[in-house]
Amino acid sequence: MKLKRRQLFKQIKSFSLGYLTLPLAQINQQYTLTPQQIEGPFYPVNFPLDDDNDLTWINDRKNQALGEKIIISGKLLTQEHQPISAAKVEIWQACASGRYNHPYDPNQAPIDPNFQGWGWTTTRQDGSYLFKTVKPGGYPVTGSWKRPPHIHFKVTLPRQKELITQLYFSEEKTLNETDKILQRIPIHQQPLVITNLIKNESLKMRIGEFNIVI
Ligand SMILES: [Fe+2]
């Protein structure tokens, strides 16, 4: 049964806070801004009918998305450590095989019709957000360059320039180190956009934390 947004958050919240993994770098007591990265060519042109923060089910479909189900959650913060509520957070990504639900994706990997591919949520009073999704597959760009698994993020706030970035996984070290997009970020800032998936025994899923500073 698909969990609606409020239910999903409520369930996960009671298990959270034991998995803080991503250090927020500080310079003179200020958090470092989350590095911007390119939007890439696969932001949806056709938005799915189901647009919530659980990308593993589409409405009332019988089958769930393929691949490992994971939780990505964190907080949206200012450099002065203040939570930012009511911001729109969007994610989009390839399915477990590495294919986007996008007409211009040249990847021949099979598309997963039960994967939502894009979703959005709003940050809560304490700046927190949460998505349930699948771990994306990597995909080829050129003969010698394969993109590591990653999730695209767009954060929109009124009267402020949007933040667009991408989140990577620490366990994909080899692909991360050769990725032409991740490697545009100075090496000391790369940990700000790389999450460590940690198994949560109660949820029987791995959870990755991603705090965003804007
Ligand atoms: Fe991508």
Side-chain angles (χ1 to χ4, degrees):
M1 183 74 186
K2 181 170 182 174
L3 292 164
K4 289 301 169 197
R5 184 173 301 146
R6 193 176 302 163
Q7 294 172 309
L8 179 62
F9 212 114
K10 200 173 163 191
Q11 186 198 29
I12 303 306
K13 202 180 172 194
S14 62
F15 292 103
S16 67
L17 302 178
Y19 58 89
L20 295 174
T21 55
L22 188 63
L24 287 161
Q26 294 188 24
I27 298 172
N28 299 329
Q29 303 305 313
Q30 283 198 327
Y31 289 147
T32 304
L33 292 170
T34 298
Q36 300 260 2
Q37 294 170 86
I38 60 165
E39 182 172 285
F42 302 128
Y43 184 77
V45 287
N46 300 307
F47 291 91
L49 293 175
D50 187 8
D51 65 355
D52 66 3
N53 64 338
D54 180 353
L55 281 64
T56 68
W57 286 99
I58 297 179
N59 290 329
D60 296 322
R61 292 250 181 103
K62 207 170 112 208
N63 295 317
Q64 205 174 8
L66 299 171
E68 181 190 356
K69 279 70 183 173
I70 59 171
I71 299 285
I72 300 293
S73 70
K75 285 189 175 182
L76 182 64
L77 301 161
T78 66
Q79 284 192 282
E80 292 72 35
H81 313 188
Q82 296 305 305
I84 303 172
S85 61
K88 182 181 182 184
V89 181
E90 297 169 72
I91 64 168
W92 68 101
Q93 63 171 86
C95 66
S97 73
R99 175 86 179 264
Y100 285 87
N101 185 5
H102 192 285
Y104 302 139
D105 186 356
N107 190 3
Q108 294 301 305
I111 194 161
D112 181 354
N114 295 311
F115 180 55
Q116 193 173 298
W118 170 87
W120 70 280
T121 190
T122 304
T123 56
R124 293 159 73 97
Q125 202 65 38
D126 63 353
S128 59
Y129 73 89
L130 180 150
F131 290 96
K132 184 177 179 185
T133 185
V134 302
K135 187 179 172 198
Y139 54 86
V141 183
T142 62
S144 59
W145 175 24
K146 183 179 177 185
R147 290 232 60 207
H150 61 276
I151 299 175
H152 295 261
F153 275 74
K154 184 183 287 194
V155 179
T156 310
L157 279 163
R159 296 177 297 280
Q160 193 166 333
K161 190 176 176 297
E162 63 192 7
L163 170 77
I164 297 173
T165 193
Q166 303 183 28
L167 177 68
Y168 305 83
F169 301 91
S170 59
E171 62 205 23
E172 303 289 345
K173 198 166 179 291
T174 307
L175 288 177
N176 287 344
E177 285 176 356
T178 53
D179 186 53
K180 293 180 183 174
I181 294 173
L182 174 58
Q183 294 307 322
R184 289 177 193 163
I185 298 174
I187 190 92
H188 67 280
Q189 287 196 5
Q190 290 178 14
L192 299 174
V193 292
I194 300 175
T195 192
N196 189 21
L197 290 173
I198 294 181
K199 182 77 182 276
N200 182 298
E201 295 298 340
S202 304
L203 292 173
K204 298 189 175 9
M205 271 189 293
R206 294 198 292 166
I207 300 178
E209 186 185 40
F210 181 38
N211 293 313
I212 301 168
V213 181
I214 189 168

